[in-house]
Amino acid sequence: MTTEADKRKNAERTIAPGSTIGILGGGQLGRMMALAGSAMGYRFVALDPTPDGPCGQVSDQIVAAYDDRDAARELAKRSDVITYEFENVDAGVAAMLMAESYVPQGSELLYTTQHRLREKRAIEASGVRVAPYSEIRSAEELRAAAERFGLPCVLKTATGGYDGKGQWVIRSFDEVEEAYETLSRSGAELVLEQFIRFEKELSVIAARSPQGEIKAFPAAENIHIDNILHLSIVPARISEAVQQEAEKLAMRIAEGLGVVGLIAVELFLTTDGELYVNELAPRPHNSGHYTMEACRTSQFEQHVRAVCNLPLGDTSLLTPVVMVNVLGQHVEPLLARVQEHDEAAERLKVAPKLHLYGKKDAVHKRKMGHVNVLADNVEAALQWIEETTIWKV
């Protein structure tokens, strides 16, 4: 547990460029963090079990399992500061790194966001609304809660699960026993959420430094296909009042949870203009990739600035943009297209910026990269995505 004395000490501690940043995790988020931080003069070393992984291609890498204590000690020894690129860090390793190294994000936020029930309670404690929910310990409790919330409702595991995994949308009371039986097999606690009939899905990335400076990026409007993020549209097609409220909620959560680094706040916007928080992610986020070319400061540079206690960068939007994810099935047609003259981009006056993550196998529905389509307006960017036909594969 981080004491008040530790927090005061960390608020005065700055990690200057030229230092080494250790990353627990070596996927695409670590890769883009290392690329942004290297431009500022930082060195990087990642701990990841996959040889020549996305981050290892652009930084030093310790190839070892995430729960390997000796490897974690090696990471601590080689780093001036340690951050992480995913939430499910082994609790024992996190505690050890806290004792033997400098981890400004601490372990409390990980502990909170690794568990949906703890996360929801923490959000509510920050004065922000979440969808009505109930802890579920039996099929009987599930049926009672489903009757209370109405159908459809969503049963989720309290730990693990992403891109739609670890959840079941219950549309009929006939599904109750099967849903409980299936998800309870994991051994994880379960939570049932009332289904929010939303008009749009939004997200806001906020950053907070150890000294308490907070800044938020413009809200993104997100569109998912098969529970995987497909598009992030910025500016989001929402009112200015909703935009400001979404950013305000994200900054309130960052302050309330004592975040250091980034926090991604996923939100539902209802038809009557109400905002509900869906989930949090204490790290750079897929829906923040648009910032790489479209904002004065990218989310990755901002994360480096925050964990190193540098002044936070300007988050202003420079240009409208649509980020589109590149999944395994999109790689081949996209690579063929980038080698040809792009008449549609010229005609629509858009600038597609390709980012591939260096993953070895282009697996169907696996995130392999993204394209940021910069444009005078989001409609032109969406038209380019439609005309390429790549994302219809």
Side-chain angles (χ1 to χ4, degrees), residues 290-302:
Y290 79 86
T291 62
M292 294 174 77
E293 284 91 12
C295 291
R296 288 184 180 273
T297 306
S298 76
Q299 67 165 340
F300 299 102
E301 178 185 337
Q302 194 78 304

Side-chain angles (χ1 to χ4, degrees), residues 23 25-32 46 48 53-56 66 85 357 359:
I23 306 177
Q28 64 260 28
L29 300 179
R31 176 192 181 96
M32 290 181 276
D48 193 274
C55 190
Y66 295 127
E85 64 134 33
Y357 304 149
K359 294 182 179 178

